[in-house]
Short mmCIF file of all heavy atoms in Angstrom, two decimals:
data_model
loop_
_atom_site.label_atom_id
_atom_site.label_comp_id
_atom_site.label_asym_id
_atom_site.label_seq_id
_atom_site.Cartn_x
_atom_site.Cartn_y
_atom_site.Cartn_z
N MET A 12 -10.92 16.43 14.00
CA MET A 12 -10.56 16.23 15.39
C MET A 12 -11.48 17.03 16.32
O MET A 12 -11.21 18.20 16.63
CB MET A 12 -9.12 16.65 15.60
CG MET A 12 -8.33 15.54 16.22
SD MET A 12 -6.58 15.69 16.06
CE MET A 12 -6.28 14.84 14.53
N TRP A 58 -12.95 9.88 19.20
CA TRP A 58 -11.84 8.99 18.94
C TRP A 58 -10.56 9.65 19.36
O TRP A 58 -10.46 10.88 19.27
CB TRP A 58 -11.84 8.55 17.46
CG TRP A 58 -11.42 9.62 16.53
CD1 TRP A 58 -10.15 9.94 16.18
CD2 TRP A 58 -12.29 10.49 15.81
NE1 TRP A 58 -10.18 11.00 15.29
CE2 TRP A 58 -11.47 11.36 15.05
CE3 TRP A 58 -13.67 10.67 15.75
CZ2 TRP A 58 -11.98 12.36 14.24
CZ3 TRP A 58 -14.16 11.68 14.93
CH2 TRP A 58 -13.33 12.49 14.23
N PRO A 59 -9.61 8.86 19.83
CA PRO A 59 -8.42 9.45 20.44
C PRO A 59 -7.51 10.16 19.43
O PRO A 59 -7.43 9.79 18.30
CB PRO A 59 -7.71 8.26 21.06
CG PRO A 59 -8.21 7.09 20.30
CD PRO A 59 -9.61 7.42 19.85
N ASN A 60 -6.87 11.16 19.91
CA ASN A 60 -5.84 11.84 19.15
C ASN A 60 -4.52 11.04 19.31
O ASN A 60 -3.82 11.17 20.33
CB ASN A 60 -5.66 13.26 19.64
CG ASN A 60 -4.62 14.01 18.85
OD1 ASN A 60 -3.64 13.44 18.40
ND2 ASN A 60 -4.83 15.29 18.69
N GLN A 61 -4.21 10.27 18.29
CA GLN A 61 -3.03 9.37 18.43
C GLN A 61 -1.75 10.14 18.41
O GLN A 61 -0.74 9.66 18.96
CB GLN A 61 -3.03 8.41 17.23
CG GLN A 61 -4.25 7.57 17.08
CD GLN A 61 -4.28 6.41 18.08
OE1 GLN A 61 -3.35 6.22 18.82
NE2 GLN A 61 -5.36 5.64 18.04
N ALA A 62 -1.75 11.32 17.82
CA ALA A 62 -0.53 12.10 17.80
C ALA A 62 -0.18 12.48 19.24
O ALA A 62 0.98 12.29 19.64
CB ALA A 62 -0.75 13.36 16.97
N ALA A 63 -1.18 12.93 19.96
CA ALA A 63 -0.93 13.31 21.36
C ALA A 63 -0.53 12.05 22.15
O ALA A 63 0.39 12.10 22.96
CB ALA A 63 -2.18 13.94 21.95
N LEU A 66 2.94 10.95 21.61
CA LEU A 66 3.90 11.92 22.09
C LEU A 66 4.26 11.55 23.53
O LEU A 66 5.36 11.78 23.99
CB LEU A 66 3.28 13.29 22.05
CG LEU A 66 4.18 14.49 22.21
CD1 LEU A 66 5.25 14.45 21.14
CD2 LEU A 66 3.40 15.78 22.08
N SER A 71 3.03 3.34 19.92
CA SER A 71 2.22 4.20 19.05
C SER A 71 1.21 3.37 18.27
O SER A 71 0.26 3.88 17.71
CB SER A 71 3.12 4.96 18.10
OG SER A 71 3.70 4.02 17.22
N LEU A 81 4.17 -1.27 -6.38
CA LEU A 81 3.02 -2.11 -6.11
C LEU A 81 2.55 -2.82 -7.37
O LEU A 81 1.55 -3.50 -7.39
CB LEU A 81 1.88 -1.28 -5.52
CG LEU A 81 2.03 -0.83 -4.10
CD1 LEU A 81 0.88 0.06 -3.65
CD2 LEU A 81 2.17 -2.00 -3.16
N SER A 87 3.02 -6.42 -4.20
CA SER A 87 1.67 -6.06 -3.77
C SER A 87 1.08 -7.21 -2.93
O SER A 87 0.33 -6.96 -2.01
CB SER A 87 0.77 -5.72 -4.93
OG SER A 87 0.67 -6.82 -5.83
N GLY A 91 -0.05 -6.59 0.87
CA GLY A 91 -1.42 -6.85 1.24
C GLY A 91 -1.50 -7.76 2.48
O GLY A 91 -2.33 -7.55 3.37
N GLU A 98 -4.31 -4.99 10.34
CA GLU A 98 -5.68 -4.67 10.70
C GLU A 98 -6.16 -5.55 11.84
O GLU A 98 -6.76 -5.09 12.78
CB GLU A 98 -6.63 -4.76 9.52
CG GLU A 98 -7.95 -4.03 9.84
CD GLU A 98 -9.16 -4.61 9.16
OE1 GLU A 98 -9.04 -5.58 8.41
OE2 GLU A 98 -10.26 -4.07 9.40
N SER A 103 -1.71 0.42 12.89
CA SER A 103 -1.76 1.25 11.67
C SER A 103 -0.47 1.17 10.91
O SER A 103 0.57 0.88 11.47
CB SER A 103 -2.01 2.73 12.08
OG SER A 103 -3.22 2.82 12.77
N VAL A 104 -0.57 1.41 9.61
CA VAL A 104 0.61 1.24 8.75
C VAL A 104 0.78 2.48 7.86
O VAL A 104 -0.09 2.94 7.17
CB VAL A 104 0.43 0.04 7.83
CG1 VAL A 104 1.70 -0.21 7.03
CG2 VAL A 104 0.06 -1.22 8.61
N MET A 105 2.00 3.01 7.92
CA MET A 105 2.37 4.06 6.96
C MET A 105 3.13 3.38 5.83
O MET A 105 4.04 2.61 6.08
CB MET A 105 3.31 5.05 7.60
CG MET A 105 2.61 6.18 8.36
SD MET A 105 3.81 7.36 8.97
CE MET A 105 4.46 8.02 7.43
N VAL A 106 2.77 3.70 4.60
CA VAL A 106 3.44 3.05 3.47
C VAL A 106 4.20 4.07 2.66
O VAL A 106 3.68 5.13 2.34
CB VAL A 106 2.44 2.32 2.56
CG1 VAL A 106 3.16 1.64 1.41
CG2 VAL A 106 1.63 1.34 3.35
N MET A 108 6.76 4.48 -0.86
CA MET A 108 7.27 3.87 -2.07
C MET A 108 8.33 4.79 -2.64
O MET A 108 8.05 5.63 -3.52
CB MET A 108 6.11 3.67 -3.04
CG MET A 108 6.42 2.75 -4.18
SD MET A 108 4.95 2.50 -5.21
CE MET A 108 5.00 3.95 -6.20
N GLY A 110 11.02 6.56 -4.74
CA GLY A 110 11.42 6.48 -6.14
C GLY A 110 12.93 6.45 -6.27
O GLY A 110 13.64 6.05 -5.37
N GLN A 119 11.83 8.99 3.73
CA GLN A 119 10.58 8.32 4.10
C GLN A 119 10.68 7.66 5.47
O GLN A 119 9.77 7.70 6.26
CB GLN A 119 10.21 7.29 3.02
CG GLN A 119 10.03 7.93 1.66
CD GLN A 119 8.75 7.51 1.00
OE1 GLN A 119 7.97 6.76 1.57
NE2 GLN A 119 8.52 7.99 -0.19
N LYS A 121 12.58 8.51 7.89
CA LYS A 121 12.56 9.55 8.92
C LYS A 121 11.16 10.04 9.18
O LYS A 121 10.79 10.28 10.31
CB LYS A 121 13.47 10.70 8.52
CG LYS A 121 14.92 10.34 8.71
CD LYS A 121 15.83 11.48 8.28
CE LYS A 121 17.31 11.04 8.43
NZ LYS A 121 18.21 12.08 7.90
N MET A 124 9.53 7.43 11.31
CA MET A 124 9.98 7.48 12.70
C MET A 124 9.47 8.72 13.38
O MET A 124 9.10 8.68 14.54
CB MET A 124 11.52 7.44 12.74
CG MET A 124 12.07 6.12 12.19
SD MET A 124 13.82 5.91 12.58
CE MET A 124 14.55 7.17 11.61
N GLY A 125 9.44 9.82 12.62
CA GLY A 125 8.96 11.08 13.20
C GLY A 125 7.50 10.97 13.62
O GLY A 125 7.06 11.71 14.52
N ARG A 126 6.76 10.08 13.04
CA ARG A 126 5.37 9.91 13.42
C ARG A 126 5.23 8.84 14.48
O ARG A 126 4.12 8.47 14.81
CB ARG A 126 4.49 9.60 12.19
CG ARG A 126 4.26 10.82 11.34
CD ARG A 126 2.90 10.80 10.67
NE ARG A 126 2.46 12.13 10.35
CZ ARG A 126 2.97 12.90 9.41
NH1 ARG A 126 3.96 12.44 8.64
NH2 ARG A 126 2.52 14.12 9.21
N GLY A 127 6.36 8.30 14.91
CA GLY A 127 6.28 7.37 16.01
C GLY A 127 6.24 5.89 15.66
O GLY A 127 5.84 5.07 16.51
N ARG A 239 11.26 -10.49 -15.67
CA ARG A 239 10.03 -10.06 -16.28
C ARG A 239 9.62 -11.04 -17.37
O ARG A 239 10.46 -11.74 -17.91
CB ARG A 239 10.16 -8.66 -16.87
CG ARG A 239 10.49 -7.59 -15.85
CD ARG A 239 9.27 -7.06 -15.16
NE ARG A 239 8.07 -7.56 -15.80
CZ ARG A 239 6.85 -7.18 -15.52
NH1 ARG A 239 6.62 -6.33 -14.58
NH2 ARG A 239 5.82 -7.67 -16.13
N PRO A 240 8.36 -11.06 -17.73
CA PRO A 240 7.92 -11.97 -18.81
C PRO A 240 8.73 -11.83 -20.09
O PRO A 240 9.07 -12.84 -20.70
CB PRO A 240 6.46 -11.55 -19.01
CG PRO A 240 6.03 -10.96 -17.77
CD PRO A 240 7.22 -10.28 -17.19
N GLU A 241 9.04 -10.60 -20.45
CA GLU A 241 9.78 -10.42 -21.70
C GLU A 241 11.16 -11.05 -21.65
O GLU A 241 11.69 -11.50 -22.66
CB GLU A 241 9.87 -8.95 -22.12
CG GLU A 241 10.10 -7.96 -21.00
CD GLU A 241 8.82 -7.51 -20.29
OE1 GLU A 241 7.89 -8.33 -20.19
OE2 GLU A 241 8.76 -6.36 -19.85
N ARG A 273 4.75 -18.34 -23.42
CA ARG A 273 4.34 -17.64 -24.64
C ARG A 273 5.28 -17.99 -25.83
O ARG A 273 4.85 -18.22 -26.94
CB ARG A 273 4.34 -16.15 -24.40
CG ARG A 273 4.24 -15.36 -25.70
CD ARG A 273 3.56 -14.03 -25.52
NE ARG A 273 2.22 -14.20 -25.02
CZ ARG A 273 1.56 -13.27 -24.35
NH1 ARG A 273 2.18 -12.14 -24.07
NH2 ARG A 273 0.34 -13.48 -23.97
N GLU A 295 -0.69 -14.11 -10.05
CA GLU A 295 -1.79 -13.91 -11.05
C GLU A 295 -1.46 -14.59 -12.36
O GLU A 295 -2.31 -15.28 -12.95
CB GLU A 295 -1.99 -12.39 -11.23
CG GLU A 295 -3.12 -12.02 -12.13
CD GLU A 295 -4.46 -12.08 -11.38
OE1 GLU A 295 -4.53 -12.66 -10.28
OE2 GLU A 295 -5.43 -11.55 -11.95
N LEU A 296 -0.24 -14.42 -12.81
CA LEU A 296 0.12 -15.00 -14.13
C LEU A 296 0.18 -16.51 -14.11
O LEU A 296 0.08 -17.13 -15.16
CB LEU A 296 1.46 -14.41 -14.62
CG LEU A 296 1.40 -12.93 -15.06
CD1 LEU A 296 2.75 -12.47 -15.52
CD2 LEU A 296 0.36 -12.78 -16.17
N LYS A 298 -2.03 -18.27 -12.70
CA LYS A 298 -3.40 -18.71 -12.86
C LYS A 298 -3.98 -18.27 -14.21
O LYS A 298 -4.72 -19.03 -14.82
CB LYS A 298 -4.26 -18.09 -11.75
CG LYS A 298 -3.97 -18.65 -10.37
CD LYS A 298 -4.52 -17.75 -9.27
CE LYS A 298 -3.88 -18.06 -7.93
NZ LYS A 298 -3.75 -16.87 -7.07
N HIS A 299 -3.63 -17.09 -14.63
CA HIS A 299 -4.31 -16.55 -15.80
C HIS A 299 -3.40 -16.10 -16.92
O HIS A 299 -3.77 -15.27 -17.73
CB HIS A 299 -5.19 -15.36 -15.34
CG HIS A 299 -6.14 -15.71 -14.25
ND1 HIS A 299 -7.13 -16.62 -14.40
CD2 HIS A 299 -6.17 -15.31 -12.96
CE1 HIS A 299 -7.78 -16.74 -13.25
NE2 HIS A 299 -7.22 -15.96 -12.37
N GLY A 300 -2.18 -16.63 -16.95
CA GLY A 300 -1.26 -16.23 -18.02
C GLY A 300 -1.51 -17.04 -19.27
O GLY A 300 -2.60 -17.56 -19.48
N PRO A 301 -0.48 -17.17 -20.11
CA PRO A 301 -0.63 -17.88 -21.39
C PRO A 301 -1.20 -19.28 -21.22
O PRO A 301 -2.07 -19.71 -21.98
CB PRO A 301 0.78 -17.94 -21.89
CG PRO A 301 1.48 -16.75 -21.31
CD PRO A 301 0.85 -16.58 -19.96
N VAL A 302 -0.72 -20.01 -20.23
CA VAL A 302 -1.35 -21.28 -19.86
C VAL A 302 -1.36 -21.32 -18.33
O VAL A 302 -0.54 -20.70 -17.69
CB VAL A 302 -0.51 -22.49 -20.38
CG1 VAL A 302 -0.46 -22.48 -21.90
CG2 VAL A 302 0.87 -22.50 -19.78
N MET B 172 13.71 8.07 18.09
CA MET B 172 13.44 9.47 18.31
C MET B 172 14.51 10.08 19.20
O MET B 172 14.38 10.12 20.42
CB MET B 172 12.07 9.66 18.94
CG MET B 172 11.22 10.60 18.10
SD MET B 172 9.51 10.54 18.47
CE MET B 172 8.95 9.29 17.33
N TRP B 218 15.75 14.75 12.97
CA TRP B 218 14.55 14.81 12.14
C TRP B 218 13.37 15.12 13.07
O TRP B 218 13.35 14.66 14.22
CB TRP B 218 14.35 13.49 11.35
CG TRP B 218 13.88 12.36 12.18
CD1 TRP B 218 12.63 12.03 12.53
CD2 TRP B 218 14.73 11.36 12.75
NE1 TRP B 218 12.62 10.92 13.29
CE2 TRP B 218 13.89 10.47 13.46
CE3 TRP B 218 16.14 11.14 12.79
CZ2 TRP B 218 14.41 9.37 14.15
CZ3 TRP B 218 16.60 10.06 13.46
CH2 TRP B 218 15.75 9.20 14.13
N PRO B 219 12.40 15.85 12.57
CA PRO B 219 11.37 16.38 13.44
C PRO B 219 10.41 15.33 13.92
O PRO B 219 10.16 14.32 13.26
CB PRO B 219 10.65 17.38 12.51
CG PRO B 219 10.94 16.93 11.15
CD PRO B 219 12.29 16.31 11.18
N ASN B 220 9.90 15.56 15.09
CA ASN B 220 8.85 14.71 15.65
C ASN B 220 7.50 15.20 15.11
O ASN B 220 6.93 16.18 15.58
CB ASN B 220 8.89 14.81 17.16
CG ASN B 220 7.83 13.94 17.78
OD1 ASN B 220 6.78 13.69 17.22
ND2 ASN B 220 8.12 13.40 18.97
N GLN B 221 7.03 14.47 14.11
CA GLN B 221 5.81 14.92 13.42
C GLN B 221 4.57 14.82 14.32
O GLN B 221 3.60 15.53 14.14
CB GLN B 221 5.56 14.06 12.16
CG GLN B 221 6.70 14.08 11.18
CD GLN B 221 6.69 15.30 10.34
OE1 GLN B 221 5.80 16.19 10.48
NE2 GLN B 221 7.68 15.45 9.48
N ALA B 222 4.63 13.91 15.28
CA ALA B 222 3.49 13.75 16.15
C ALA B 222 3.32 15.06 16.97
O ALA B 222 2.22 15.61 17.05
CB ALA B 222 3.70 12.59 17.11
N ALA B 223 4.43 15.56 17.49
CA ALA B 223 4.38 16.80 18.23
C ALA B 223 3.98 17.96 17.33
O ALA B 223 3.17 18.81 17.67
CB ALA B 223 5.74 17.08 18.85
N LEU B 226 0.37 18.03 16.51
CA LEU B 226 -0.46 18.29 17.69
C LEU B 226 -0.71 19.83 17.77
O LEU B 226 -1.73 20.27 18.24
CB LEU B 226 0.32 17.84 18.93
CG LEU B 226 -0.48 17.74 20.22
CD1 LEU B 226 -1.66 16.82 20.00
CD2 LEU B 226 0.42 17.20 21.31
N SER B 231 -0.59 18.49 8.75
CA SER B 231 0.22 17.36 9.23
C SER B 231 1.05 16.76 8.12
O SER B 231 1.96 15.99 8.38
CB SER B 231 -0.71 16.31 9.78
OG SER B 231 -1.51 15.78 8.75
N LEU B 241 -5.00 -5.39 -2.43
CA LEU B 241 -3.90 -5.00 -3.30
C LEU B 241 -3.63 -6.05 -4.33
O LEU B 241 -2.70 -5.96 -5.12
CB LEU B 241 -2.63 -4.77 -2.48
CG LEU B 241 -2.60 -3.50 -1.64
CD1 LEU B 241 -1.33 -3.43 -0.82
CD2 LEU B 241 -2.71 -2.25 -2.53
N SER B 247 -4.05 -2.02 -6.93
CA SER B 247 -2.67 -1.79 -6.63
C SER B 247 -2.07 -0.73 -7.56
O SER B 247 -1.19 0.02 -7.19
CB SER B 247 -1.88 -3.09 -6.74
OG SER B 247 -1.94 -3.64 -8.01
N GLY B 251 -0.46 2.65 -6.10
CA GLY B 251 0.93 2.96 -6.45
C GLY B 251 1.06 4.37 -6.98
O GLY B 251 1.97 5.10 -6.65
N GLU B 258 4.92 10.94 -2.58
CA GLU B 258 6.35 11.08 -2.32
C GLU B 258 6.87 12.36 -2.95
O GLU B 258 7.62 13.11 -2.31
CB GLU B 258 7.14 9.88 -2.83
CG GLU B 258 8.56 9.89 -2.21
CD GLU B 258 9.63 9.29 -3.07
OE1 GLU B 258 9.34 8.83 -4.19
OE2 GLU B 258 10.79 9.27 -2.61
N SER B 263 3.08 12.14 3.54
CA SER B 263 3.06 10.74 4.04
C SER B 263 1.68 10.13 3.88
O SER B 263 0.72 10.83 3.87
CB SER B 263 3.49 10.71 5.49
OG SER B 263 4.77 11.24 5.67
N VAL B 264 1.69 8.83 3.78
CA VAL B 264 0.42 8.13 3.54
C VAL B 264 0.22 6.97 4.51
O VAL B 264 1.07 6.12 4.65
CB VAL B 264 0.37 7.56 2.09
CG1 VAL B 264 -0.97 6.97 1.81
CG2 VAL B 264 0.71 8.64 1.06
N MET B 265 -0.92 6.97 5.16
CA MET B 265 -1.29 5.79 5.97
C MET B 265 -2.25 4.96 5.11
O MET B 265 -3.18 5.49 4.55
CB MET B 265 -2.09 6.23 7.19
CG MET B 265 -1.21 6.57 8.38
SD MET B 265 -2.23 6.97 9.78
CE MET B 265 -2.98 5.37 10.12
N VAL B 266 -1.97 3.68 5.04
CA VAL B 266 -2.83 2.85 4.19
C VAL B 266 -3.61 1.82 5.06
O VAL B 266 -3.03 1.20 5.93
CB VAL B 266 -1.99 2.06 3.16
CG1 VAL B 266 -2.88 1.21 2.27
CG2 VAL B 266 -1.19 3.03 2.31
N MET B 268 -6.48 -1.43 4.86
CA MET B 268 -7.18 -2.39 3.99
C MET B 268 -8.21 -3.10 4.82
O MET B 268 -7.98 -4.18 5.34
CB MET B 268 -6.14 -3.38 3.43
CG MET B 268 -6.65 -4.17 2.25
SD MET B 268 -5.35 -5.20 1.57
CE MET B 268 -5.40 -6.58 2.69
N GLY B 270 -10.97 -5.35 6.24
CA GLY B 270 -11.49 -6.64 5.86
C GLY B 270 -13.01 -6.63 5.98
O GLY B 270 -13.65 -5.59 5.87
N GLN B 279 -10.62 2.21 10.90
CA GLN B 279 -9.39 2.61 10.21
C GLN B 279 -9.40 4.12 9.92
O GLN B 279 -8.38 4.79 10.07
CB GLN B 279 -9.24 1.82 8.91
CG GLN B 279 -9.14 0.34 9.15
CD GLN B 279 -8.00 -0.27 8.41
OE1 GLN B 279 -7.28 0.38 7.68
NE2 GLN B 279 -7.83 -1.60 8.54
N LYS B 281 -10.93 6.35 11.58
CA LYS B 281 -10.70 7.07 12.85
C LYS B 281 -9.24 7.08 13.22
O LYS B 281 -8.71 8.08 13.71
CB LYS B 281 -11.55 6.49 13.96
CG LYS B 281 -12.99 6.87 13.81
CD LYS B 281 -13.87 6.25 14.90
CE LYS B 281 -15.33 6.67 14.68
NZ LYS B 281 -16.23 5.92 15.61
N MET B 284 -7.63 9.66 11.11
CA MET B 284 -7.94 11.05 11.55
C MET B 284 -7.22 11.30 12.86
O MET B 284 -6.73 12.41 13.12
CB MET B 284 -9.42 11.20 11.70
CG MET B 284 -10.15 11.09 10.38
SD MET B 284 -11.85 11.69 10.44
CE MET B 284 -12.60 10.47 11.50
N GLY B 285 -7.17 10.30 13.75
CA GLY B 285 -6.54 10.47 15.01
C GLY B 285 -5.06 10.81 14.90
O GLY B 285 -4.48 11.37 15.76
N ARG B 286 -4.46 10.40 13.78
CA ARG B 286 -3.06 10.70 13.58
C ARG B 286 -2.90 11.98 12.79
O ARG B 286 -1.78 12.34 12.40
CB ARG B 286 -2.33 9.55 12.87
CG ARG B 286 -2.11 8.40 13.79
CD ARG B 286 -0.87 7.63 13.44
NE ARG B 286 -0.35 6.93 14.60
CZ ARG B 286 -0.89 5.85 15.13
NH1 ARG B 286 -1.97 5.34 14.59
NH2 ARG B 286 -0.35 5.30 16.20
N ARG B 399 -13.72 -11.20 -12.94
CA ARG B 399 -12.51 -12.03 -12.83
C ARG B 399 -12.33 -12.85 -14.10
O ARG B 399 -13.28 -13.12 -14.84
CB ARG B 399 -12.61 -12.95 -11.63
CG ARG B 399 -12.77 -12.25 -10.30
CD ARG B 399 -11.45 -11.81 -9.73
NE ARG B 399 -10.38 -12.44 -10.46
CZ ARG B 399 -9.07 -12.34 -10.19
NH1 ARG B 399 -8.66 -11.64 -9.19
NH2 ARG B 399 -8.19 -12.92 -10.95
N PRO B 400 -11.10 -13.31 -14.36
CA PRO B 400 -10.84 -14.10 -15.53
C PRO B 400 -11.78 -15.31 -15.65
O PRO B 400 -12.26 -15.61 -16.72
CB PRO B 400 -9.40 -14.56 -15.35
CG PRO B 400 -8.78 -13.53 -14.50
CD PRO B 400 -9.87 -13.04 -13.56
N GLU B 401 -12.03 -15.96 -14.54
CA GLU B 401 -12.86 -17.14 -14.61
C GLU B 401 -14.30 -16.81 -15.05
O GLU B 401 -14.99 -17.61 -15.70
CB GLU B 401 -12.89 -17.95 -13.31
CG GLU B 401 -12.93 -17.15 -12.01
CD GLU B 401 -11.56 -16.66 -11.55
OE1 GLU B 401 -10.68 -16.38 -12.42
OE2 GLU B 401 -11.33 -16.53 -10.35
N ARG B 433 -8.74 -17.08 -23.23
CA ARG B 433 -8.43 -18.47 -22.94
C ARG B 433 -9.49 -19.40 -23.43
O ARG B 433 -9.19 -20.46 -24.00
CB ARG B 433 -8.25 -18.63 -21.41
CG ARG B 433 -8.20 -20.12 -21.02
CD ARG B 433 -7.42 -20.34 -19.78
NE ARG B 433 -6.07 -19.90 -19.92
CZ ARG B 433 -5.28 -19.57 -18.91
NH1 ARG B 433 -5.77 -19.57 -17.68
NH2 ARG B 433 -4.08 -19.15 -19.14
N GLU B 455 -1.56 -5.83 -16.28
CA GLU B 455 -0.58 -6.90 -16.46
C GLU B 455 -1.08 -7.98 -17.42
O GLU B 455 -0.37 -8.42 -18.33
CB GLU B 455 -0.28 -7.55 -15.07
CG GLU B 455 0.80 -8.59 -15.08
CD GLU B 455 2.20 -7.97 -15.06
OE1 GLU B 455 2.35 -6.75 -15.31
OE2 GLU B 455 3.12 -8.70 -14.80
N LEU B 456 -2.34 -8.36 -17.24
CA LEU B 456 -2.87 -9.44 -18.06
C LEU B 456 -3.06 -9.03 -19.50
O LEU B 456 -3.10 -9.85 -20.41
CB LEU B 456 -4.20 -9.96 -17.50
CG LEU B 456 -4.05 -10.81 -16.20
CD1 LEU B 456 -5.41 -11.30 -15.75
CD2 LEU B 456 -3.12 -12.00 -16.44
N LYS B 458 -0.90 -7.34 -21.09
CA LYS B 458 0.43 -7.48 -21.67
C LYS B 458 0.90 -8.92 -21.69
O LYS B 458 1.52 -9.40 -22.66
CB LYS B 458 1.45 -6.66 -20.88
CG LYS B 458 1.25 -5.15 -21.04
CD LYS B 458 2.01 -4.39 -19.96
CE LYS B 458 1.48 -2.98 -19.87
NZ LYS B 458 1.53 -2.45 -18.49
N HIS B 459 0.61 -9.67 -20.64
CA HIS B 459 1.21 -10.98 -20.45
C HIS B 459 0.23 -12.11 -20.25
O HIS B 459 0.57 -13.12 -19.68
CB HIS B 459 2.25 -10.93 -19.34
CG HIS B 459 3.24 -9.86 -19.50
ND1 HIS B 459 4.14 -9.84 -20.55
CD2 HIS B 459 3.48 -8.74 -18.79
CE1 HIS B 459 4.91 -8.77 -20.41
NE2 HIS B 459 4.50 -8.07 -19.37
N GLY B 460 -1.03 -11.90 -20.62
CA GLY B 460 -2.03 -12.94 -20.45
C GLY B 460 -1.96 -13.95 -21.56
O GLY B 460 -0.96 -14.09 -22.24
N PRO B 461 -3.07 -14.66 -21.79
CA PRO B 461 -3.13 -15.69 -22.83
C PRO B 461 -2.65 -15.20 -24.17
O PRO B 461 -1.92 -15.90 -24.86
CB PRO B 461 -4.60 -16.07 -22.84
CG PRO B 461 -5.11 -15.75 -21.50
CD PRO B 461 -4.35 -14.55 -21.05
N VAL B 462 -3.10 -14.02 -24.56
CA VAL B 462 -2.55 -13.36 -25.77
C VAL B 462 -2.41 -11.87 -25.41
O VAL B 462 -3.09 -11.37 -24.55
CB VAL B 462 -3.51 -13.49 -26.96
CG1 VAL B 462 -3.79 -14.91 -27.37
CG2 VAL B 462 -4.84 -12.77 -26.69
#
Side-chain angles (χ1 to χ4, degrees):
Chain A
M12 234 163 269
W58 71 86
N60 182 327
Q61 303 281 358
L66 194 56
S71 65
L81 286 177
S87 60
E98 195 210 0
S103 300
V104 186
M105 275 184 65
V106 181
M108 195 175 81
Q119 299 229 2
K121 284 178 183 174
M124 295 194 293
R126 285 212 155 72
R239 299 276 350 185
E241 40 274 34
R273 167 151 301 154
E295 185 80 345
L296 287 181
K298 290 163 199 147
H299 307 295
V302 299
Chain B
M172 236 165 269
W218 73 86
N220 181 329
Q221 302 281 358
L226 194 56
S231 65
L241 286 177
S247 61
E258 195 210 0
S263 300
V264 185
M265 275 183 65
V266 181
M268 195 175 81
Q279 299 228 0
K281 284 178 181 173
M284 295 195 292
R286 284 211 156 74
R399 299 275 349 183
E401 41 275 34
R433 168 152 301 155
E455 184 81 345
L456 287 181
K458 291 165 198 146
H459 306 296
V462 299

